[in-house]
Amino acid sequence: MTHWADDEESLLAPVHWTRPHASTLPVTGAWRPGDPLGQRQFMQMAVDRPFVLEGGGQLRNITIAFETWGTLDADAGNAILVCHALTGDAHAAGPAGPGHPTPGWWDDLIGPGKVLDTERHFVVCANVLGGCQGSSGPASPRGDQPGHYGPNFPVVSVRDMVRTQAKLADALGIARWLAVVGGSMGGMQVLEWGVMYPGRSRALVSIATCLAATAQQIAWWSTGRRTIALDPNWRNGHYYDAPPGEGPHAGLALARMLSQITFRSDDVFTDRFGREVVEPLSGRFSMWQRFQVERYLEYQGDKLARRFDANSYLLLTKAMDLHDVARGRGGLAPALRRLAAPLLSVGVTSDVLYPQYQQREMVDGVSAVGGDATFHQIDSPHGHDAFLIEHVQMGEALGTFLTRIEKSTA
Amino acid sequence: MTHWADDEESLLAPVHWTRPHASTLPVTGAWRPGDPLGQRQFMQMAVDRPFVLEGGGQLRNITIAFETWGTLDADAGNAILVCHALTGDAHAAGPAGPGHPTPGWWDDLIGPGKVLDTERHFVVCANVLGGCQGSSGPASPRGDQPGHYGPNFPVVSVRDMVRTQAKLADALGIARWLAVVGGSMGGMQVLEWGVMYPGRSRALVSIATCLAATAQQIAWWSTGRRTIALDPNWRNGHYYDAPPGEGPHAGLALARMLSQITFRSDDVFTDRFGREVVEPLSGRFSMWQRFQVERYLEYQGDKLARRFDANSYLLLTKAMDLHDVARGRGGLAPALRRLAAPLLSVGVTSDVLYPQYQQREMVDGVSAVGGDATFHQIDSPHGHDAFLIEHVQMGEALGTFLTRIEKSTA
């Protein structure tokens, strides 16, 4: 009962899609002031004093874009924070539409009667600091001087993202989340929430993520960054004023094509594409003849280039490489000893990018220091992206865990 | 008892190596007429009439560079053909020296008293058609008109490579090889030798290879090609007359960095590099600060750019994507039914690029049509590259199989 696509469009794409001419692509896929707001809400922070980043940079007048679903209870006890992955954004639920190029990335899990039940829960998702869908990032106007931050936006860590989310929680009147939930880079945020603010969540759900980026993960993301830097249209990060079609979409798209391979699996690629061709081999062989898998990857690359910003991609992949819950905390055990809430760690059988052993390691690590941690396995051929695809299994795991938390008195 | 490096240099590299300025790199790492010959011998073919390629192109005046070790018996019964992988070349054994930037890639297996015993065997290794170490390829002068073939070199298939090797065998007086042996792209050649010339080898040893490239393998190699094409210095393949330092080394090096991740393994990267840094994180975080694994990859990329040609990389990876022993033969079973020699298929436990199931599949496929095929597993953490590293295990597998063949009367 394999289903292939994360959405219907990408299911059909490799068959019908034709690569557009680059000139139709914007220099950045970032949301920019003046674009349709969609469901975005905004919060300003660091207005009176600078926000000092873990890596030493400073920012003033930070905007965090976020969305909410449902109604916050009087005691603010029903709030759930959902943290997005690398190329996700605050639009975790709801349809595509003006301001939202894609439907919510977890639309099957968030809504009335769904596992994150917006008739009972108040769900919040914020675009991360350094992102490109409304929160302050490299594509944002600087404010203090003309132009955009571009490559001068300071390096952001997962801890910085979480600190902005804590300020958002303060502003929303949420002292303690019922749960903090996220996959991949979102799962890194979940772990940092647990360590940085142990009293501020009743439950943690981290999916397909790691305690610290491994050398192989750094290898993948760092080569993706070099792909963007190889694109002459990246212009050392100063491309925002380039003519339409002359942004670094080729580099960004290629970085995405590469990562898309690591997001899926050998089995699924074989099932879906095998050796099917786009341009037939029956005539003369040519260097740029494509197999279907190549068009699929081109489509995925193009899709991302339309809705993402190359400098944000650099920044957020770097944040993932820097992710290490032990850093500056005297080691892993002291860091994990800070966790106060039960942790559900979810892994995917076929995930080659964030392999299951990493999610088991975090359960072992938390258990070893006396914490409450459970491993749950998603059985799926879809690789890392299964957390965006296997809604039934994800929903069951989340639902069971949330029910346990809601029944507890902690 | 893990040992890391394929050679001592790369073991030390990530610690001591500093990225050179691009201007020190040649526009192509190809061997070119006038360069030191080293141990190369040359054979000319297609002098009187064109060599028609599987994909429809034609070539005249083809040069094949090769090396030999040992002495051919009077009955020419002791000849072993060794087929090289993507970035290998004819220098399978012997030290580095003028004309040979690296030591032989199988130097531990080929030589006096070694498993391919040059006191008893006559070992031959030819640079593939389309390669860049002396055989005709994109970096070669055209001959019929000024300049180099560049992107006009026709697409080459593994079958074309094997046909040039058969002509070389004819010229050397070798009617039948004692064995044809190779790993990765070399293993593809071994399989095609078995199907195309079933009477011309007594034994086949294919290592870490496949019957047909999978969608995932196509995905990896095709994105590598796009990395080269993204480099403005690739100039659509016309870079041979560019000034030194202005060749497509950045694109070629990045393609190598990416493939190097797939050649090795998560475990070995973790053991060797973990989260060690080159530029320390203690100061301000910066976007281009590197972890050790990044420097290791940069070193591997740089090393390849010095001894390889970007257009050859395009051509040979395309040949690997096109590899499909069933193509044009009425299916896999009819193709495999042609094999007449025993096949030893070797796989590596940790190979994620050419996973073991593919080497088992070919044994099952050959067995299913009544052929003689055996699977042998190399137990190694080193991933795909284990066939270049695990000399002891490779030697034992090869030695046992060759002894069996030499004792047989077939």
Side-chain angles (χ1 to χ4, degrees), chain B residues 296-363:
Chain B
Y296 164 78
L297 295 174
E298 285 177 345
Y299 169 80
Q300 296 292 339
D302 175 73
K303 200 166 69 160
L304 188 75
R306 291 176 183 277
R307 67 174 184 81
F308 216 77
D309 177 69
N311 285 330
S312 271
Y313 195 93
L314 299 179
L315 203 68
L316 302 189
T317 58
K318 186 67 184 176
M320 292 167 78
D321 288 356
L322 291 167
H323 171 65
D324 177 4
V325 297
R327 182 175 56 245
R329 290 169 175 157
L332 186 60
L336 294 182
R337 207 170 278 126
R338 291 180 55 83
L339 291 188
L343 170 71
L344 175 67
S345 171
V346 180
V348 179
T349 46
S350 55
D351 191 339
V352 294
L353 186 58
Y354 291 87
Q356 266 194 83
Y357 77 82
Q358 293 193 302
Q359 294 90 51
R360 293 180 189 273
E361 263 175 11
M362 74 187 63
V363 169

Side-chain angles (χ1 to χ4, degrees), chain A residues 203-287:
Chain A
L204 303 167
V205 182
S206 66
I207 306 158
T209 195
C210 60
L211 291 167
T214 59
Q216 191 184 60
Q217 286 155 355
I218 294 168
W220 286 127
W221 295 122
S222 67
T223 46
R225 290 195 293 279
R226 284 167 173 77
T227 304
I228 291 172
L230 186 61
D231 184 343
N233 284 333
W234 177 60
R235 302 162 199 256
N236 293 311
H238 298 284
Y239 51 82
Y240 297 106
D241 298 319
E246 297 184 20
H249 20 74
L252 176 58
L254 186 52
R256 177 61 155 202
M257 292 171 72
L258 289 162
S259 66
Q260 192 72 20
I261 311 173
T262 68
F263 291 165
R264 298 296 175 114
S265 72
D266 183 21
D267 282 353
V268 168
F269 275 11
T270 292
D271 286 353
R272 179 65 185 81
F273 304 113
R275 293 182 54 78
E276 283 173 41
V277 298
V278 179
E279 290 81 23
L281 283 167
S282 51
R284 186 165 170 159
F285 292 177
S286 81
M287 177 59 72

Side-chain angles (χ1 to χ4, degrees), chain A residues 30 40 116 120 146 162 165 181 188 200 203 230 254 262 286 299 324 345 348 361:
Chain A
R40 283 172 188 76
L116 303 188
R120 295 193 300 116
V162 168
Q165 292 164 1
V181 182
M188 298 175 190
R200 296 198 69 172
L230 186 61
L254 186 52
T262 68
S286 81
Y299 169 80
D324 177 2
S345 170
V348 179
E361 263 175 12

Side-chain angles (χ1 to χ4, degrees), chain A residues 226 266 289 298 318 357, chain B residues 226 266 289 298 318 357:
Chain A
R226 284 167 173 77
D266 183 21
Q289 172 272 339
E298 286 178 346
K318 186 67 185 177
Y357 76 82
Chain B
R226 283 167 173 78
D266 184 21
Q289 171 272 337
E298 285 177 345
K318 186 67 184 176
Y357 77 82

